[in-house]
Amino acid sequence: MSTLLRIIPIALLLTLCGCQRPPEAQRQMANYLDRVSRVLQQDWQPFQPESLSAYRFGPRRERVLSIAPLRISLLDLIVDTNDCRELQQRISERNTVLGKVMPWSHRLAYDGELLRALQHCTALLAERDDKQALQEQLSAIAASKTSSLPATFWNALNSSEEFEQYLRFADQPLPVSSQPLTDQAAIEALRELANVGAELPHRLPPERASLDALLRTLQLSQHGGQLITSLAQTTHGLQQATQMLQATEARLLCPMQAPSERSKILLNVFVLFYAGEIQPYLAQLQRLGQPWAAAIGELRALPGIPAATAQALDRLAGTEASLWERYQAAVAAHTQAWQDLLGACQSRPGQSGWQGRTEQ
């Protein structure tokens, strides 16, 4: 392969990223692929950024559920519940200008507050024989509100910019770092939101401040979207390298099943660039990705999930075709491809040719 052909992938990578220097993770992968390509005389294709659009959430209108409005004779109810001040306050709040346009996350918390007020008021009215009809009306309202809590929960998430932002790919992958990266706070927030949904309707939603804090934690995450981008880019890179390794005939690389000068150079690439640079980055992805995928799985398992939301989460984690599972498969296939080729050349760790590595 000519020098010109070898530098084309790097040039394409620079073109795709504009005039800016690509992130370190992309440069490492491109360098690794280029070195494997030179030794094996195989071609590879650069990652296409537009492919990330596959992990974009669909329009909100497809994910927000329709909930029938609850019609209450508010004036009569307020007059008849003079002993239930808290319930009066909740009803009045919902009918203010701000109450009518409150975001779904606040509506979820509000419904919890309303149900608590209804429970308290119903208990008071149970002691009065002349309020049986009103008590039955309040019980019917409480039952309707309770049954709609799961739908309100999903609307709270699906209408949230914070939720969408956390599970949306970023324009940059995770940084290359010698220190362990963490996204624990955001992952715990996602798991706590899943826990809120799992306990509905038996446990009422938390207060608005608690829900706001969880959503804000997702918004402040520095690594959620970067993880998605890194998984997609790294999966592609590993698949390209695996194809080059698998397309190489061991008998041509290592005649007589013994190390050759070319296989020693390939072993050098494995030690210096795969084990030395790519594998530490894979470890970062595994460290962040495993709890992230588990949290998505917990959320996906909740009842009442809108079909469009379920499909979006399935593309990220949990199914065989998901981003996370495809990444896991790419890592396993790449590891096996190296073992097969190095083993055929007697250069796998523990074999006689392992010590045949030369400095490059």
Side-chain angles (χ1 to χ4, degrees):
M1 184 182 296
S2 69
T3 302
L4 177 60
L5 291 177
R6 289 200 298 269
I7 66 173
I8 284 177
I10 302 296
L12 285 174
L13 183 60
L14 291 171
T15 300
L16 289 170
C17 299
C19 297
Q20 296 181 349
R21 182 176 172 84
E24 181 65 21
Q26 286 180 255
R27 296 201 304 273
Q28 281 189 354
M29 181 60 77
N31 179 55
Y32 170 59
L33 290 171
D34 194 45
R35 289 177 181 275
V36 173
S37 173
R38 277 187 285 171
V39 176
L40 301 181
Q41 299 180 341
Q42 301 283 346
D43 294 326
W44 61 276
Q45 299 299 319
F47 177 76
Q48 300 298 321
E50 56 268 23
S51 65
L52 288 168
S53 62
Y55 307 109
R56 180 181 287 117
F57 272 66
R60 289 186 185 180
R61 64 178 180 275
E62 297 179 1
R63 294 179 284 117
V64 174
L65 300 169
S66 176
I67 301 177
L70 186 61
R71 302 299 182 184
I72 308 174
S73 179
L74 295 176
L75 182 60
D76 292 342
L77 193 57
I78 290 174
V79 170
D80 286 342
T81 57
N82 285 328
D83 293 332
C84 303
R85 300 297 181 187
E86 184 182 359
L87 180 57
Q88 288 182 352
Q89 292 173 0
R90 297 285 77 78
I91 294 173
S92 298
E93 177 188 0
R94 186 68 176 91
N95 286 277
T96 63
V97 174
L98 292 178
K100 292 178 179 179
V101 296
M102 67 172 63
W104 277 104
S105 60
H106 287 185
R107 286 181 62 175
L108 177 63
Y110 168 83
D111 283 355
E113 296 165 0
L114 179 63
L115 282 166
R116 292 183 185 92
L118 283 166
Q119 291 171 355
H120 177 71
C121 188
T122 302
L124 289 177
L125 296 178
E127 301 174 359
R128 297 179 55 176
D129 295 335
D130 60 333
K131 297 294 183 179
Q132 183 176 358
L134 179 58
Q135 181 183 356
E136 291 176 356
Q137 184 183 10
L138 294 180
S139 296
I141 294 171
S144 177
K145 278 293 180 186
T146 299
S147 65
S148 67
L149 281 176
T152 305
F153 166 80
W154 280 114
N155 285 357
L157 288 188
N158 284 319
S159 64
S160 163
E161 292 183 3
E162 296 90 343
F163 178 69
E164 287 185 4
Q165 176 181 312
Y166 180 69
L167 293 178
R168 187 185 189 281
F169 60 89
D171 59 356
Q172 297 281 320
L174 288 166
V176 173
S177 173
S178 59
Q179 300 299 316
L181 300 177
T182 180
D183 200 28
Q184 183 176 355
I187 291 172
E188 286 301 321
L190 192 64
R191 297 190 69 177
E192 182 57 33
L193 286 168
N195 188 53
V196 169
E199 295 189 343
L200 293 175
H202 306 294
R203 180 183 175 187
L204 295 179
E207 298 178 351
R208 301 175 206 196
S210 297
L211 289 172
D212 285 345
L214 292 174
L215 293 174
R216 192 179 306 113
T217 300
L218 295 183
Q219 185 180 38
L220 294 175
S221 169
Q222 297 181 350
H223 299 319
Q226 290 178 343
L227 175 62
I228 295 173
T229 300
S230 291
L231 289 173
Q233 291 180 348
T234 306
T235 297
H236 174 83
L238 292 176
Q239 289 172 339
Q240 291 293 304
T242 299
Q243 289 175 11
M244 289 190 286
L245 293 171
Q246 291 177 339
T248 301
E249 294 188 44
R251 63 182 180 84
L252 299 179
L253 181 66
C254 308
M256 306 298 293
Q257 295 184 338
S260 64
E261 287 304 312
R262 196 154 67 105
S263 74
K264 291 177 183 179
I265 296 174
L266 183 65
L267 177 59
N268 225 31
V269 172
F270 173 83
V271 174
L272 295 178
F273 300 101
Y274 180 63
E277 294 183 350
I278 302 300
Q279 279 193 329
Y281 193 70
L282 300 184
Q284 292 277 26
L285 296 187
Q286 191 70 25
R287 188 181 299 109
L288 267 71
Q290 201 156 9
W292 170 83
I296 290 176
E298 292 176 18
L299 198 63
R300 172 64 177 86
L302 297 183
I305 182 172
T309 305
Q311 292 168 5
L313 296 181
D314 285 343
R315 287 192 291 268
L316 293 176
T319 67
E320 186 174 341
S322 70
L323 175 62
W324 176 247
E325 294 303 328
R326 287 176 55 245
Y327 166 74
Q328 297 293 319
V331 172
H334 193 56
T335 300
Q336 187 63 51
W338 268 118
Q339 290 178 349
D340 292 344
L341 196 55
L342 292 179
C345 294
Q346 292 296 308
S347 298
R348 198 164 49 199
Q351 293 180 316
S352 58
W354 174 250
Q355 299 300 327
R357 183 175 66 85
T358 59
E359 294 301 325
Q360 188 176 28

